[in-house]
Amino acid sequence: MDFTERDMYRAAIHGDRDAFEMIIRSFSRPLFAVAYGVLQNREEAEDVVQDAFVKAWKTRWRVRDPEKFPAWLATIARNRARDVSRARRTVPLSDELDEAAEPVAALTASGDLNGEVQAALASLPETHRVALTLRYFDALDYATIERTLGLTNGALRGILGRALQTMRKRLQPALASLE
Amino acid sequence: MATIHDDIESWLAAAVHEELSLDERREFEAHLVSCAACRALHQDQINMSNMIQNTLTAERPDNAFEQRVLSGFRRNVPQSPVNVISLFGRVLQTRAARITAVAAVLLGLTQLGTWLTVDPHGSELAVRAASPPGSLAGLREQLADQSPRAPAPDFLDAVMRDARTSAGPATASRPKSGTESTRRPDEMSAPPPVAAAQSRSRADAATTATAPAPPSPPADAETERVVVTGSYIPPAPSDNAVDQLAVTTSSEDSAVSPGATPGPPVGVPDNRKLIRNAQVELEVVKFDEAVQRITAFAAEDRGFLATSSSERQANGKLRGQLVVKVLPETLDAFLMKLRGIGEVKNQTLGTDDVTKQYFDTDSRLNNARTMEQRLMDILKTKTSKVADLLEVEKELGRVREQIEQMQGSLKYLDAQIAFATVSITLAEKDMNLPAAFLLKRRAQLALFSTDVEKTFAEAKDVVDGAKAQISSSSLDRDSTGEATARLTLLIVPEEADALIDRIKGMGRVQNYNEQTDRIAQGGGTGMSDTAKVERDKVELSITISRNEQEPALQTTHLRIVTSEVTDKVARLKESAAKQGAEVRSSSFNRTPDGEEFANVTLRVAMKNYPALLSSFDQLGKVKDVSVHREDRRGVINEETAPADISIQVYSEGNIVTDESGIIATIRRTLTQGAAALMWSLRMIGVAVAFLAPWALAIAALVWIVKRVSRARAARRADEREES
């Protein structure tokens, strides 16, 4: 992390609104990726990003180490997204069943490749999915992703490897048909 | 390349995402060339990655996304005026602010402690010390503020103006005090205004009182002048010093006013009536010579010796008193001359101002004279009745009596004023020398005698034949028949030694001591080479007591074991009698166990001691012999000196103790075992009692620490949950 970035985080922590808005500009996309990784829903993810920044501003003084600011932002967004996902699941069981049944049927019916990819993504563990979205949305390098997710060096490779393996297995028919 | 193959998935992912390093990429490609399966997987991976990329690119937020988020944020978090609390919290975020806050708190506590513990004086000092570094100017300002209140400088000016008229060392040292006063004005302002005012008024009084100031003799003026010069020297004139200044000014004025003429009465206006007198105590070598010289001195100055008295002491020294009248003007010169005669021990000088009394009497006298004149006139006219004339005559007599009385007192005063009175006490040197010495010799003699009465009678006989007398004698006999005789003799000094030696020969001397006092007679206690020495009668106190009271020279303890105690004791006594030993005590005991004890104490002369001791060997087994010898000075005859022997003759009991045998042993063992067990139990109890509180305290501490850390962890988890 270079010095100016770090200064920016520190200024934001100390209440510099301009610095915080700069952070919003540079971090809203990664946060979106994180939220999308959890929710797989654009609108909800965008709301989550909004909420996450507001909350981050209000509780910014809790961050002691400016270096960990990005990870902290990602944690807020992820927790917020989880809350949303949990709230979604508390809707009546019948609705959920309908909802769950419908997309699969639609996907199979249309044979849409995007739908299949989405379904395969949905079957991944959350962490794997978030890592993938971070990578594929913004083509972030591994180091940035590691920092954002608070992962140690090397762990991300394993996560992404397993994630893509699972995906490949799920998408084997589609891949086969491609060839 | 097994590792790549085994872990192919992460390699594939990293390759697809182009996150392999150059070396890794080379390795990976090498593996793909060799491994067909991996090659196929890699192809699938690329295809799938493209699919995912396609899918998720569609889901990417649009370009206005950041702006939306930003505006949403601005909407949700309006730019509010800075919250004081949040500002405070933010400020506290910085480490510098935190350190400053802690330091401030510590400093505050320290200051509080200082306030609570240090006395107000100290804090005042501290405040003064804490004034800014460039405080010299500040101090000066402060002083300038104070100076109007402080009358001291004004006063000092006044004093200096006054002093300018005076001459001598005072003038020389004055500038010093001036600089001091400017350099230390704060201290000058120290005296409270009241005191300053007082001192000023005193100074004023002194100045106004210059004219009627009582004339002081030159000697006193001299000393006071010394004080004057000295008082200007102190570096910091304090309250006291200012007072002193006032005093010295007055004295200076009074001392200066007489001017060039040395005799104070000359400077005093003539109409003052003063009676001067002096007392002098002189120590002279020869009384008569001194009286002659004093008379001569008095005559020189038109004075005279009024009275004289003398008294001869026992040691031949003379002491006396003279009263000399001299003219007041020459009094001081006369006193100076007196110093030449001998050593002045004491001198007082007094002046009695009788001006008022004198002139009162004088004016009353004038009135009375006028009255007398008028009465005379009445008598001369003779126009009145006889009764009135008689009355006038009577009144005239009363007035004349008054006139005479007043004339008499005026005359007396005149006489007193005309001559000063000097009372001189003369004493010859070495007044306390003793006239003679008396040598007084006292001796105490203690004798032991086998027959006190006989020795007592002998001693009396000896005394009767010599030049001595018995001043007291007594013979006491107590209930046990022991007699003690006491004699006190007064012996002519020449025969004393012979007589004492004879009495010493009558018995054994326990102790003898004598002392000689040299007593000074007449006069004091001092030394004198000339006083004669006389010898007084020698006082001898004799105490005669019986031999038995004499402590033994040697004491021996021994024990004899034998089977027949009574028999052996009888034999022991026999052999003791053979050696001329005296049985002083004897006792016999028998215990229920069959043990027998006999204690015998013998006293024998030292010459028979070895023989007696060897005779004991025949009686039985001699054990535990201990000998204690006490040599005393003055015991000359070791042959006859007494030796004490205390003997214990005893038999060992023949009864076997019942605490033996196997059962007794077992019982003893069990008892001891039980006792040891109980003891160790008690020790364990003590140890537990000692350790338990500590263990409890440590457990409590650990519990608290655990609780705290758990609570902290829970809170942290909550926070995480919240965020």
Side-chain angles (χ1 to χ4, degrees), chain B residues 451-668:
Chain B
D451 192 340
V452 174
E453 280 93 343
K454 199 178 135 204
T455 315
F456 184 52
E458 278 174 12
K460 278 183 174 176
D461 287 346
V462 167
V463 172
D464 282 344
K467 283 187 183 171
Q469 67 188 66
I470 298 170
S471 57
S472 75
S473 74
S474 67
L475 181 72
D476 302 326
R477 191 183 290 277
D478 66 8
S479 56
T480 58
E482 303 284 341
T484 309
R486 288 191 183 81
L487 264 176
T488 310
L489 308 177
L490 284 176
I491 312 165
V492 175
E494 292 77 30
E495 291 194 10
D497 290 333
L499 190 61
I500 288 169
D501 283 346
R502 277 188 68 186
I503 295 171
K504 273 184 184 170
M506 289 175 183
R508 289 172 34 71
V509 177
Q510 186 196 12
N511 65 51
Y512 173 75
N513 59 59
E514 65 170 71
Q515 69 207 58
T516 306
D517 290 338
R518 189 179 156 103
I519 300 165
Q521 304 269 297
T525 54
M527 282 175 63
S528 171
D529 297 331
T530 54
K532 62 179 177 182
V533 179
E534 282 174 5
R535 289 212 288 173
D536 199 10
K537 282 183 179 141
V538 178
E539 192 184 298
L540 174 67
S541 308
I542 308 165
T543 310
I544 308 167
S545 51
R546 251 183 72 114
N547 244 356
E548 283 197 10
Q549 284 149 351
E550 186 181 6
L553 177 69
Q554 188 166 313
T555 313
T556 310
H557 294 276
L558 57 90
R559 304 176 77 193
I560 299 172
V561 189
T562 176
S563 47
E564 308 109 13
V565 173
T566 33
D567 183 35
K568 291 293 160 68
V569 167
R571 282 178 61 188
L572 190 145
K573 284 181 179 171
E574 261 173 49
S575 58
K578 243 184 260 172
Q579 299 293 344
E582 179 193 351
V583 178
R584 303 189 74 176
S585 73
S586 172
S587 67
F588 179 79
N589 279 321
R590 181 202 265 283
T591 65
D593 291 346
E595 287 174 303
E596 289 178 329
F597 297 95
N599 290 308
V600 180
T601 312
L602 301 172
R603 172 162 283 201
V604 68
M606 277 300 283
K607 61 182 174 193
N608 295 334
Y609 173 80
L612 183 60
L613 215 58
S614 62
S615 74
F616 293 154
D617 288 339
Q618 301 158 8
L619 297 175
K621 199 175 165 195
V622 176
K623 288 169 79 181
D624 303 338
V625 181
S626 75
V627 177
H628 173 78
R629 188 185 163 111
E630 199 161 303
D631 282 316
R632 289 191 305 274
R633 294 178 65 185
V635 175
I636 309 137
N637 193 346
E638 222 176 88
E639 296 259 286
T640 57
D644 280 354
I645 307 171
S646 91
I647 308 142
Q648 187 178 59
V649 185
Y650 70 104
S651 68
E652 279 167 347
N654 49 7
I655 300 166
V656 179
T657 173
D658 58 349
E659 282 296 308
S660 65
I662 184 77
I663 293 169
T665 309
I666 289 170
R667 197 175 59 218
R668 250 200 318 269

Side-chain angles (χ1 to χ4, degrees), chain B residues 416-433:
Chain B
Q416 291 278 302
I417 293 159
F419 283 101
T421 309
V422 185
S423 310
I424 306 163
T425 306
L426 286 177
E428 286 187 353
K429 269 200 168 118
D430 303 325
M431 205 65 202
N432 60 357
L433 270 191

Side-chain angles (χ1 to χ4, degrees), chain B residues 84 114 123 179 200 367 501 536:
Chain B
V84 176
T114 315
S123 62
T179 54
R200 191 203 289 234
N367 285 345
D501 283 346
D536 199 10

Side-chain angles (χ1 to χ4, degrees), chain B residues 255-278:
Chain B
V256 164
S257 53
T261 44
V266 182
V268 175
D270 283 335
N271 54 0
R272 290 203 72 76
K273 300 296 180 187
L274 300 170
I275 299 173
R276 305 191 73 207
N277 51 53

Side-chain angles (χ1 to χ4, degrees), chain B residues 12-26:
Chain B
L12 286 172
V16 165
H17 295 146
E18 294 177 348
E19 286 284 342
L20 286 176
S21 68
L22 210 63
D23 291 344
E24 282 175 332
R25 181 185 292 269
R26 215 169 283 147

Side-chain angles (χ1 to χ4, degrees), chain B residues 108-422:
Chain B
L109 286 176
T110 313
Q111 194 57 43
L112 188 71
T114 315
W115 272 343
L116 290 178
T117 51
V118 174
D119 59 326
H121 219 73
S123 62
E124 199 178 299
L125 270 178
V127 167
R128 201 176 285 182
S131 61
S135 63
L136 200 65
L139 191 67
R140 210 167 281 163
E141 235 171 276
Q142 205 180 329
L143 294 174
D145 286 350
Q146 281 181 358
S147 53
R149 285 193 283 122
D154 294 358
F155 168 65
L156 203 77
D157 281 351
V159 168
M160 275 159 64
R161 232 180 294 123
D162 284 351
R164 217 155 286 157
T165 54
S166 70
T171 326
S173 58
R174 199 189 313 125
K176 207 172 180 182
S177 81
T179 54
E180 281 300 329
S181 69
T182 47
R183 208 190 307 164
R184 296 214 185 171
D186 54 338
E187 270 165 338
M188 282 302 293
S189 65
V194 180
Q198 261 180 3
S199 58
R200 191 203 289 234
S201 70
R202 214 178 305 163
D204 288 349
T207 327
T208 51
T210 307
S216 47
D220 285 15
E222 266 315 306
T223 54
E224 280 186 5
R225 205 190 280 267
V226 170
V227 174
V228 170
T229 55
S231 78
Y232 275 98
I233 291 166
S238 61
D239 187 3
N240 211 351
V242 172
D243 280 359
Q244 217 174 339
L245 273 179
V247 171
T248 51
T249 354
S250 72
S251 67
E252 212 177 301
D253 286 339
S254 62
V256 164
S257 53
T261 44
V266 182
V268 175
D270 283 335
N271 54 0
R272 290 203 72 76
K273 300 296 180 187
L274 300 170
I275 299 173
R276 305 191 73 207
N277 51 53
Q279 282 90 38
V280 185
E281 210 177 307
L282 279 177
E283 195 178 76
V284 296
V285 181
K286 287 218 166 128
F287 183 84
D288 294 330
E289 198 181 303
V291 172
Q292 279 175 15
R293 287 183 65 186
I294 289 169
T295 316
F297 287 148
E300 273 174 33
D301 296 329
R302 286 177 289 153
F304 57 91
L305 178 65
T307 61
S308 88
S309 67
S310 65
E311 181 190 346
R312 188 174 290 276
Q313 306 286 310
N315 55 4
K317 303 288 180 184
L318 273 171
R319 175 193 288 276
Q321 281 213 314
L322 306 178
V323 178
V324 178
K325 297 278 189 182
V326 294
L327 294 175
E329 296 88 346
T330 60
L331 174 64
D332 303 302
F334 181 71
L335 289 175
M336 288 308 289
K337 282 178 190 166
L338 279 188
R339 284 165 190 263
I341 292 175
E343 196 186 335
V344 176
K345 291 277 188 188
N346 198 345
Q347 176 176 329
T348 54
L349 201 70
T351 304
D352 201 0
D353 192 345
V354 291
T355 313
K356 187 173 182 301
Q357 190 192 343
Y358 190 91
F359 287 107
D360 281 356
T361 314
D362 199 42
S363 56
R364 284 217 319 276
L365 182 62
N366 284 336
N367 285 345
R369 282 209 174 113
T370 321
M371 186 72 167
E372 185 194 17
Q373 196 55 52
R374 282 182 59 192
L375 288 172
M376 293 280 275
D377 290 348
I378 293 170
L379 275 183
K380 275 176 195 161
T381 51
K382 288 179 185 174
T383 51
S384 309
K385 284 183 282 182
V386 177
D388 290 346
L389 285 177
L390 276 175
E391 194 69 20
V392 169
E393 196 80 50
K394 216 165 135 189
E395 185 62 24
L396 190 63
R398 202 181 58 79
V399 169
R400 279 192 174 149
E401 197 186 320
Q402 271 185 359
I403 290 171
E404 271 161 28
Q405 226 171 16
M406 287 187 277
Q407 275 176 336
S409 65
L410 279 183
K411 246 183 205 162
Y412 172 75
L413 282 176
D414 278 335
Q416 291 278 302
I417 293 159
F419 283 101
T421 309
V422 185

